[in-house]
Amino acid sequence: MNKSDLAKKIWGLIYPMLIYLAVQMLVVYAIQLLFMVYWHIQGISSADIYRMLTNTLQGRKLLLTMLSALITIPIMALLMKKDINDKKKAHTLVKYKPVHKGLYLLILPFAFFNMKWANMFVSILQIFMPQFMIDSYRGAQAAIFESPIVLQFIAGGIVAPIVEEMIFRGLIYKRTKELTNIKMAAVISAVLFGVFHGNWVQAPYAAIIGLAAVFVYEKYKSIMAPILLHMWANISSVGMSYLAKQIVQQQTDTAGQFSDWYMIQAISSSMLIFLGMAVGMGIIINSIVRPKEVENEVIDSDDTML
């Protein structure tokens, strides 16, 4: 592969993320412009328009992100279709028979266990993180938890997983496999997924979920598998966060009674249990889910997860 081809391959890993970011910016600017024009026609002063604009967008970041995702999904679908057509032309497309729908239920506990141990791992990391790392999560935290719970479930639990899996597994991961081996591609796509979240707290969690998503993608040979995993992990996380918040509001705060070392021991024990459960479910999926290749198709010998 010459330098020109390599540059094109690397650019192919970057521009799907840039498209999503560009759509987010355009959505925000378009909505701001519409409000500004409307209020200007109403004769409202520039100073008042700025204040009203700030108040209007406050607490609606998750809604804007959802709108951006809905616009981006068909764009990513076209790019994925183009990649498939390119493989068909090159006679390198590997086809598999669909996995039985019932086997997709195995993804749900696998997603839940990974979500739990990943969250606990991040909780331990936060104890040692300097304040600037923790502060980097404030904006995302506010955008999520200041939004209505229904919007959190729809935007974070349904819409975001679709567009993110299309970008990071359907495009970036599959394209990375063309540059390196499958395990390195899994790590690279997971790291990019973590970095894309833009803060130190979500990044390690996203990277872990990204690796789990690659695993089910390879086992089920369908983009629906990582989408389902991502959806259930997010829905479970939102639901448990909501329940925890309700419980805390009804009880007195006792967190200050425990030392960091005690908290680390308690969380670590639970984390290892859920990690073991996640590994166990992974072993079950690996042994049961075995998609069969469609006959008379070109097979890539490296196209396997384990």
Side-chain angles (χ1 to χ4, degrees), residues 109-121 205 208-209 212 229 232-238 240 274 278:
F110 183 64
F112 179 79
F113 297 147
N114 276 292
M115 177 275 295
K116 288 295 294 181
W117 85 261
N119 268 322
M120 291 174 179
F121 176 67
Y205 172 85
I208 292 169
I209 296 300
L229 178 139
W232 192 243
N234 283 14
I235 289 172
S236 301
S237 183
V238 170
M240 295 194 70
F274 282 108

Side-chain angles (χ1 to χ4, degrees), residues 49-195:
I49 287 176
Y50 178 78
R51 176 181 52 79
M52 293 168 65
L53 196 60
T54 302
N55 293 336
T56 301
L57 297 179
Q58 185 69 29
R60 291 178 172 84
K61 292 181 179 179
L62 190 59
L63 176 61
L64 296 176
T65 300
M66 184 179 74
L67 292 175
S68 303
L70 290 172
I71 295 171
T72 307
I73 286 172
I75 300 174
M76 296 301 117
L78 289 174
L79 293 176
M80 289 177 64
K81 184 175 179 61
K82 181 181 181 300
D83 283 1
I84 291 173
N85 289 335
D86 289 343
K87 284 183 174 292
K88 285 181 179 179
K89 292 178 182 178
H91 302 289
T92 58
L93 180 66
V94 183
K95 291 184 179 180
Y96 294 87
K97 294 179 181 180
V99 173
H100 189 278
K101 293 180 181 179
L103 293 179
Y104 278 81
L105 293 176
L106 295 174
I107 294 175
L108 301 183
F110 183 64
F112 179 79
F113 297 147
N114 276 292
M115 177 275 295
K116 288 295 294 181
W117 85 261
N119 268 322
M120 291 174 179
F121 176 67
V122 172
S123 296
I124 295 172
L125 288 181
Q126 284 183 275
I127 295 175
F128 300 98
M129 282 183 180
Q131 191 61 42
F132 80 90
M133 288 186 176
I134 296 175
D135 289 342
S136 68
Y137 178 52
R138 302 297 184 194
Q141 188 177 36
I144 296 170
F145 296 108
E146 287 180 4
S147 302
I149 186 65
V150 174
L151 183 59
Q152 291 181 43
F153 277 115
I154 296 174
I158 298 175
V159 179
I162 295 175
V163 69
E164 290 177 355
E165 290 310 312
M166 293 175 78
I167 293 172
F168 289 95
R169 256 57 68 181
L171 289 168
I172 293 176
Y173 166 66
K174 291 189 73 174
R175 290 176 176 181
T176 307
K177 284 202 297 182
E178 299 176 3
L179 297 173
T180 182
N181 61 70
I182 195 170
K183 293 180 176 64
M184 184 59 69
V187 172
I188 291 173
S189 63
V191 170
L192 287 175
F193 185 46
V195 172

Side-chain angles (χ1 to χ4, degrees), residues 15-26 68 72 167 196:
Y15 79 78
M17 294 183 288
L18 297 181
I19 289 175
Y20 189 26
L21 292 174
V23 170
Q24 290 179 336
M25 293 175 62
L26 289 173
S68 303
T72 307
I167 293 172
F196 185 79

Side-chain angles (χ1 to χ4, degrees), residues 48 53 228 230 239 269 275 284 289-290 304:
D48 288 337
L53 196 60
L228 179 59
H230 197 158
S269 300
L275 175 58
I284 291 172
V289 181
R290 295 185 179 276
T304 178

